[in-house]
Amino acid sequence: MQSLLDPAILFFALGVFAGLVRSNLEMPAAISKFLSIYLLMALGLKGGFALAASGLTPSVASSLGLAVLLAVVVPLVGYVLLRRVVSGFNAAAVAATYGSVSAVTFVTATQYLDSQHIAYGGYMAAAMALMESPAIILAVMLANALRQRQATASTGMVPAHRGQPVMAMASAGAGAPGGHSMGHGSAVAAASPAPNLSVGKILHESFTDGTQLLLLGAMVIGLVTGDEGKAAMQPFSGDLFKGMLCLFLLDMGLNTARSLPAVRHQSPWLLAYAVVGPLVHASLALVLAWWLQVPAGDATLLMVLAASASYIAVPAVVRYAIPEAQPSLYVSLSLGVTFPLNIVLGIPLYTQVVQWAWVG
């Protein structure tokens, strides 16, 4: 119970409550964007400072390698399971959402570990960055394969490669990742041809995306400047961090409340996946981290990353890369179900499990 009294979690609960009672409390869009930029910049700096202090040790390499492995295995397993209950395109979109990661969940987890005086590697921010893109790439490749099979079955011809840019199109809708103004994916698909995107284009757009670039760039700056940079940036990336996170989670609570009505219309099987799937993903991370003898703090963060789901980066790309999928489906599941469960219950649970398994 004490873990639920963390100010960040309580501000998230306040945001949810305000949204449910239809309060006029609202975070201006510009402030919300600033908070996102601040958290990513501060997180990258912290990771860079930690990596400068530790160097690339076998323990660091094990944690980062395991992160990449999870980023590939989780969406593939998710797609195989989801394909049994929804269409292939919806399965690819949901698998990408749950195979990628939530930066806010990760940041909240690091603050929780700090409050519990549990050590972890700041370089785990690099693990988060590495885990964001593989699920998107796999989902788009699966969608392209589905389109080719459909075209072959109907006409006997394979569709031509078009290689349309992803983020150029996504920028039109990235400002409202949880909105439903585009309607169902089938309507978008009917209005314009579905893009058949190359892996090279997806990689380029993923690693030059603003959030990804800021996180990695701040990490490099922290790595280069080391202890002197850490001391200089402490008032910005250290002292202010908790308060900024509380403001951002207040806004996320409001967004979560807005997404809840859409959750009621989802299939019971999908709702079960949104609850049980993250637990299975976290359990997989737990077993692999224990096998590789990853430090306890890092193992907890790997469980959090494996259990989290993207509600901003993936929807912004997938909505236009896989227009056949329904945005209301994968956004409502990740933001309305999985995100609050991880914030309120998941992070304390994963921490306690790791402490029991590592410390006894």
Side-chain angles (χ1 to χ4, degrees):
M1 183 64 186
Q2 185 64 30
S3 63
L4 299 180
L5 298 182
D6 183 273
I9 295 177
L10 291 176
F11 271 104
F12 173 77
L14 175 62
V16 173
F17 175 77
L20 291 177
V21 300
R22 299 183 180 180
S23 167
N24 62 355
L25 177 62
E26 185 177 359
M27 189 74 67
I31 299 298
S32 180
K33 184 175 182 180
F34 165 76
L35 291 171
S36 299
I37 292 173
Y38 169 83
L39 289 175
L40 286 168
M41 181 178 173
L43 183 63
L45 285 171
K46 287 184 175 186
F49 296 147
L51 196 55
S54 67
L56 188 60
T57 65
S59 176
V60 173
S62 296
S63 297
L64 297 182
L66 182 52
V68 174
L69 177 62
L70 288 168
V72 174
V73 172
V74 168
L76 288 177
V77 172
Y79 176 78
V80 172
L81 294 175
L82 291 164
R83 190 68 179 85
R84 300 172 180 272
V85 294
V86 294
S87 70
F89 294 110
N90 279 327
V94 175
T97 301
Y98 281 82
S100 190
V101 294
S102 163
V104 179
T105 307
F106 177 82
V107 172
T108 306
T110 62
Q111 289 297 292
Y112 180 78
L113 291 179
D114 287 339
S115 70
Q116 299 296 309
H117 307 290
I118 298 174
Y120 61 89
Y123 50 78
M124 289 301 294
M128 185 193 74
L130 291 172
M131 292 180 72
E132 188 171 42
S133 298
I136 301 175
I137 297 168
L138 288 171
V140 175
M141 291 175 63
L142 289 169
N144 285 344
L146 285 171
R147 294 187 192 107
Q148 290 174 352
R149 285 201 297 269
Q150 288 180 355
T152 302
S154 60
T155 65
M157 298 176 63
V158 178
H161 175 79
R162 286 184 285 274
Q164 299 177 11
V166 179
M167 294 308 293
M169 296 182 290
S171 61
H180 306 288
S181 60
M182 296 300 294
H184 291 297
S186 57
V188 179
S192 60
N196 196 8
L197 301 162
S198 69
V199 175
K201 175 59 69 176
I202 301 166
L203 281 171
H204 175 266
E205 299 294 349
S206 295
F207 286 103
T208 57
D209 174 65
T211 57
Q212 189 87 326
L213 193 61
L214 176 60
L215 178 65
L216 294 175
M219 193 175 301
V220 171
I221 292 171
L223 177 62
V224 170
T225 57
D227 289 339
E228 291 184 3
K230 183 178 181 179
M233 297 299 293
Q234 175 60 27
F236 176 81
S237 60
D239 298 340
L240 292 176
F241 192 84
K242 185 75 171 186
M244 293 291 195
L245 177 61
C246 289
L247 279 174
F248 191 74
L249 283 176
L250 174 66
D251 186 37
M252 289 308 306
L254 292 168
N255 290 330
T256 298
R258 296 187 192 107
S259 71
L260 288 177
V263 172
R264 294 197 297 266
H265 303 293
Q266 301 303 339
S267 160
W269 290 107
L270 289 174
L271 292 176
Y273 179 81
V275 174
V276 178
L279 296 176
V280 174
H281 303 159
S283 299
L284 175 61
L286 174 69
V287 172
L288 292 174
W290 181 83
W291 180 52
L292 292 175
Q293 298 183 334
V294 172
D298 293 2
T300 302
L301 292 179
L302 284 170
M303 289 183 71
V304 169
L305 288 169
S308 66
S310 173
Y311 48 84
I312 296 177
V314 170
V317 177
V318 169
R319 180 172 295 168
Y320 295 92
I322 313 178
E324 300 91 341
Q326 299 176 17
S328 60
L329 189 155
Y330 50 84
V331 173
S332 64
L333 289 177
S334 61
L335 186 55
V337 180
T338 304
F339 178 72
L341 283 178
N342 273 328
I343 291 293
V344 177
L345 300 176
I347 293 172
L349 174 63
Y350 307 145
T351 304
Q352 291 302 314
V353 169
V354 170
Q355 289 301 299
W356 174 80
W358 264 249
V359 180

